[in-house]
Amino acid sequence: METDGTEVVQAQPGKPVNPGEPPRPTQQPVEQPVEQVPGVERAREAKQALRRRVRRSRAARTGEQKRADEVSLTRRVLTHEAVRRASTIAVYASLPDEPGTGELRAALHREGVRVLLPVVVEGEGPPTLDWALDTGPLATTGVLELPEPTGERLGPDAVTQADVLLIPALAVDTSGVRMGRGRGYYDVALARFRDLRPNATVIALVHDDELLDASTTPVPAEPHDRRVDAVITPRRSLSSRA
Ligand SMILES: Nc1nc2c(c(=O)[nH]1)N(C=O)[C@@H](CNc1ccc(C(=O)N[C@@H](CCC(=O)O)C(=O)O)cc1)CN2
Ligand SMILES: Nc1ncnc2c1ncn2[C@@H]1O[C@H](COP(=O)(O)OP(=O)(O)OP(=O)(O)O)[C@@H](O)[C@H]1O
């Protein structure tokens, strides 16, 4: 496979991923007892094993590697066609083990792009992300101690203002199946985004070794998972749309 430029993969943007099971009627709750769904139970266990592997690999990265990766990733994101066309982009404020977005956020600001960042909504109910404008400063907030923007909350629907959604992941495969930290925040935000902005672009950012070949080492998928349109790593850009 090429290591440079953009490769086209046959992902199905927006389509829920279903690992060998019949589609669920839409009115059924997303959450089902796992014992009734053995395929899903297997997928959950496989996700946990993969999360452990990725965490180990991330813990071994040096500061020098992280800085070099951030420079390469930033360059790749900024040259992605959908990003170049966008006037509003939703990003994430990176945690220390994630592909860094500090330089990217600064560069988008310099280019006059409106940048949105997620804010975790705490409390009961489905995992929900609120959104706020990225004006620069971040505060470590909430029980998850995430770096989050301090400005006005724009509401969960504000994600649909984004022309491009750049999302974190622990692993993504070449067919666009993504796995996050396992709380479901982005699953829910992505479902909303897909419904209301079907033509906007969702791009996952991961380290090089976290982009897996779907034909040999697919990311385990559950019915609620949505595929991403593209994946960018420091060395590769994979896209299902030009
Ligand atoms: N930078 C960033 N912001 C984000 C996310 C993310 O993955 N990365 N999210 C993506 O959904 C949402 C927040 N979800 C999160 C879920 C778990 C953990 C976390 O640190 N989990 C620990 C496990 C310990 C615990 O569960 O408390 C870990 O992964 O080590 C962080 C954020 C919204 N903001
Ligand atoms: N639309 C939804 N409404 C409510 N719960 C959901 C929805 N989508 C996913 N979930 C729940 O979120 C939990 C975590 O899902 P999953 O393991 O796929 O998260 P993830 O993609 O790794 O995490 P994240 O989206 O936070 O990065 C699951 O228990 C799942 O049932």
Side-chain angles (χ1 to χ4, degrees):
M1 219 180 269
E2 292 174 40
T3 54
D4 220 337
T6 296
E7 304 158 44
V8 173
V9 292
Q10 294 309 312
Q12 293 170 281
K15 291 258 164 59
V17 179
N18 200 324
E21 283 163 13
R24 269 184 203 173
T26 47
Q27 63 271 34
Q28 267 189 290
V30 170
E31 186 62 75
Q32 284 196 335
V34 287
E35 58 275 16
Q36 290 176 18
V37 195
V40 168
E41 190 175 9
R42 271 198 304 278
R44 285 189 186 177
E45 285 168 7
K47 278 185 176 180
Q48 286 301 36
L50 181 56
R51 285 190 183 100
R52 281 195 294 275
R53 285 213 302 281
V54 172
R55 287 213 173 90
R56 270 202 301 277
S57 165
R58 288 187 169 191
R61 263 166 223 283
T62 65
E64 200 179 336
Q65 280 173 326
K66 288 186 199 185
R67 281 188 294 278
D69 275 356
E70 181 166 346
V71 170
S72 309
L73 185 79
T74 301
R75 196 173 302 141
R76 252 176 208 291
V77 172
L78 292 175
T79 53
H80 190 281
E81 202 187 318
V83 171
R84 289 164 57 120
R85 282 199 308 264
S87 42
T88 299
I89 297 187
V91 203
Y92 59 93
S94 48
L95 292 162
D97 71 339
E98 291 177 326
T101 58
E103 286 197 16
L104 174 64
R105 289 167 46 224
L108 291 172
H109 269 292
R110 284 196 297 274
E111 295 186 8
V113 177
R114 247 177 118 237
V115 176
L116 297 174
L117 290 173
V119 181
V120 167
V121 176
E122 289 178 7
E124 302 290 302
T128 306
L129 292 179
D130 202 336
W131 299 87
L133 266 188
D134 180 10
T135 53
L138 302 170
T140 303
T141 49
V143 286
L144 290 169
E145 300 193 330
L146 297 171
E148 291 184 329
T150 51
E152 183 197 350
R153 306 296 190 250
L154 305 173
D157 276 343
V159 69
T160 65
Q161 295 171 13
D163 307 305
V164 174
L165 184 51
L166 298 173
I167 65 178
L170 290 182
V172 192
D173 71 26
T174 48
S175 75
V177 178
R178 163 195 176 270
M179 182 191 74
R181 290 177 184 268
R183 299 265 179 130
Y185 287 105
Y186 273 99
D187 292 318
V188 174
L190 213 48
R192 190 185 300 254
F193 190 67
R194 290 303 200 189
D195 288 347
L196 297 172
R197 290 293 306 273
N199 297 317
T201 307
V202 179
I203 305 176
L205 305 184
V206 288
H207 298 108
D208 291 300
D209 61 342
E210 295 161 4
L211 171 52
L212 308 182
D213 186 336
S215 62
T216 53
T217 49
V219 169
E222 294 176 73
H224 64 253
D225 287 318
R226 302 282 183 119
R227 289 178 203 258
V228 298
D229 301 312
V231 187
I232 302 181
T233 79
R235 301 231 178 127
R236 293 175 66 189
S237 310
L238 263 182
S239 186
S240 60
R241 297 182 189 184

